[in-house]
Amino acid sequence: MLSQSPLLRNQLILHCNPNSISCLPTPSPPSSISLNSPISNILNPQINRTMADRLHPGADSDQFQPPPHAVKPPPSDDKPLLPQGTYIIQIPKDQVYRIPPPENSHKMKKLANRKPRRSCCFRCVCWTISAAFILLILLSVAAGVLYLVFRPEKLKYSIDSISVAGVNLTSSAPISPRFTVNIRAENPNDKLSVFYIGKGSSVDVHYGDVSLCNGVLPTFAQSANNVTVIQTALRGSNIILARDVHSRLVKQEGERRVPLKLKVKAPVKIKIGAVKTWEIKVTVKCDVAVDRFIQKSKIVSKSCDYRVGLW
């Protein structure tokens, strides 16, 4: 019998059964081991040599020879590699890993129970979104109150008359049309006034894709429940008409129906009680057809629509 080596003191011993392919741990490592035990008899010479080296590291490993009856011939192909039985596998305890290690288990519990921290940026974003949402609600409530108090109605626009001069279709020379357009603006509101700002306004007349003339609106104020006819003078200079455009225009004038497109851009401010709004852009688009290009042109058909841009 040999005394237990210090190398074997911190080792985990497992009993493995080849028939069931399972290993069971031994409660405690054996205090001693014999090289002549049945266990050493079933191990091959290389394992005996290794165990001898581990038990006697200072001795010459070549002096240790297993007993003759411990050496067995290698198994054949039709037999199992190891004989049936129970084996002892010794594993150093420092190679047995646990997740998490026992000394860190309390730290893992604290990490699992700890609540996630929220950064200052996350709180700032939440407060900003909440403030914007509250402001939006307040603006919606204020708009609803203003609507119930003032009852705003849509403005109405139309073309009263058009006078044309400077257009001679009997020749192919460039034309310089002069239009005088009377625009009818109606404010049906009882408590709203409209202030038209001439600066930044524009009035354009087109025939198809050809711009005939343009101009601006005057500056004026329109009170509540008021109808104002805006007279604006438009000018065009040295406009060359293509041959197909000229022939089509002559044909439509002979049919007493010349289609025109009129576009008006008017920056305005609306006064509600004693408060004026910021500058609002009103865009009016009208489709107008006249019988001829003369000073007393007759409007055959007209239709206008407008939209309001708050910014």
Side-chain angles (χ1 to χ4, degrees), residues 91-216:
I91 302 175
K93 289 186 177 181
D94 56 353
Q95 296 183 7
V96 179
Y97 301 100
R98 295 189 180 98
I99 302 176
E103 61 272 12
N104 296 333
S105 60
H106 65 284
K107 297 181 180 179
M108 299 300 296
K109 291 181 180 179
K110 290 182 179 179
L111 292 176
N113 297 330
R114 187 175 61 181
K115 296 182 180 179
R117 296 180 179 178
R118 298 182 178 179
S119 62
C120 296
C121 294
F122 179 78
R123 294 179 180 177
C124 292
V125 171
C126 291
W127 278 108
T128 303
I129 295 175
S130 302
F133 183 71
I134 294 173
L135 181 61
L136 182 61
I137 293 177
L138 294 177
L139 290 177
S140 302
V141 172
V145 172
L146 291 176
Y147 178 80
L148 294 176
V149 172
F150 294 99
R151 298 287 183 176
E153 297 182 24
K154 292 178 61 177
L155 302 176
K156 297 178 182 180
Y157 297 95
S158 63
I159 305 300
D160 264 6
S161 63
I162 296 178
S163 176
V164 183
V167 178
N168 185 10
L169 299 178
T170 58
S171 66
S172 59
I175 60 175
S176 298
R178 301 185 302 273
F179 278 60
T180 302
V181 180
N182 293 329
I183 303 172
R184 180 187 176 93
E186 181 179 355
N187 179 16
N189 295 280
D190 296 331
K191 300 179 181 180
L192 300 181
S193 301
V194 183
F195 292 86
Y196 288 84
I197 305 171
K199 184 179 179 180
S201 64
S202 64
V203 182
D204 297 284
V205 177
H206 289 76
Y207 173 75
D209 296 331
V210 180
S211 177
L212 296 179
C213 54
N214 54 71
V216 296

